[in-house]
């Protein structure tokens, strides 16, 4: 798409701005509200996005990797995050990490995740992580971008395509959040959508 950005229709997020600093600050100031239970809730927030896409097809796979350094990565095989080109030909990624999800964040009747708590969106994960790296592979190009406490610290950095599509979200949860302490497999498979594989590299 090569059209004025102001003309793009908002569905899940507002295309008008890449970052909503006030929104991110609000999340960081209220971690108990937006990540009840800690790391487990953040993982479920990420998994909800590929589940949205894959629910319509009835198939798909996600891999959740629990890394030895305490970080978590979630990789899916979907179409990748919507990325468009503005009237000057510059790539613009839907601001899923740094702005509110218009469907859920302010909705008291929002979808409930497998932990029994409301879904608020990917910005919760970004804001409550020390860092997050979003890697995106689409048919119209592949790129990666790094965030710190929800704020992008790089632009969209192109990476070589490998013939696949999908999204990988790799994040280090804030140290103040309760760590993952229960059966993630059971929680992750609690709603229809992707097959979830958990690879625990944390050791004993």
């Amino acid at each position: 798409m090569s059209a004025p950005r102001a003309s793009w229709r908002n569905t899940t997020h507002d295309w008008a701005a890449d970052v909503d600093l006030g929104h991110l600050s609000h999340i960081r100031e209220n971690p108990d509200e937006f990540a009840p239970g800690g790391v487990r809730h953040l993982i479920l927030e990420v998994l909800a996005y590929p589940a949205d896409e894959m629910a319509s097809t009835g198939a798909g796979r996600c891999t959740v990797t629990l890394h030895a350094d305490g970080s978590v990565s979630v990789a899916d095989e979907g179409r990748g995050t919507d990325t468009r080109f503005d009237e000057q030909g510059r790539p613009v990624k839907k601001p899923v990490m740094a702005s509110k999800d218009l469907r859920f964040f302010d909705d008291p009747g929002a979808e409930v995740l497998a932990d029994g708590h409301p879904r608020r969106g990917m910005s919760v994960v970004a804001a409550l992580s020390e860092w997050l790296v979003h890697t995106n592979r689409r048919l119209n190009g592949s790129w990666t971008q790094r965030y710190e406490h929800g704020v992008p610290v790089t632009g969209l950095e192109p990476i070589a395509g490998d013939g696949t599509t999908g999204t990988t979200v790799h994040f280090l949860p804030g140290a103040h959040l309760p760590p993952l302490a229960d059966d993630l497999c059971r929680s992750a498979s609690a709603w229809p959508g992707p097959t979830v594989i958990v690879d625990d590299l944390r050791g004993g």
Side-chain angles (χ1 to χ4, degrees), residues 47 61-65 73-76 195-199:
L47 284 171
R61 183 175 63 181
C62 285
T63 300
V64 178
T65 303
S73 58
V74 180
D76 68 55
T195 298
V196 178
I197 299 168
V198 178
D199 188 8

Side-chain angles (χ1 to χ4, degrees), residues 64-71 73 198-204:
V64 178
T65 303
L66 308 175
H67 298 275
D69 65 354
S71 66
S73 58
V198 178
D199 188 8
D200 192 343
L201 305 179
R202 294 175 296 175

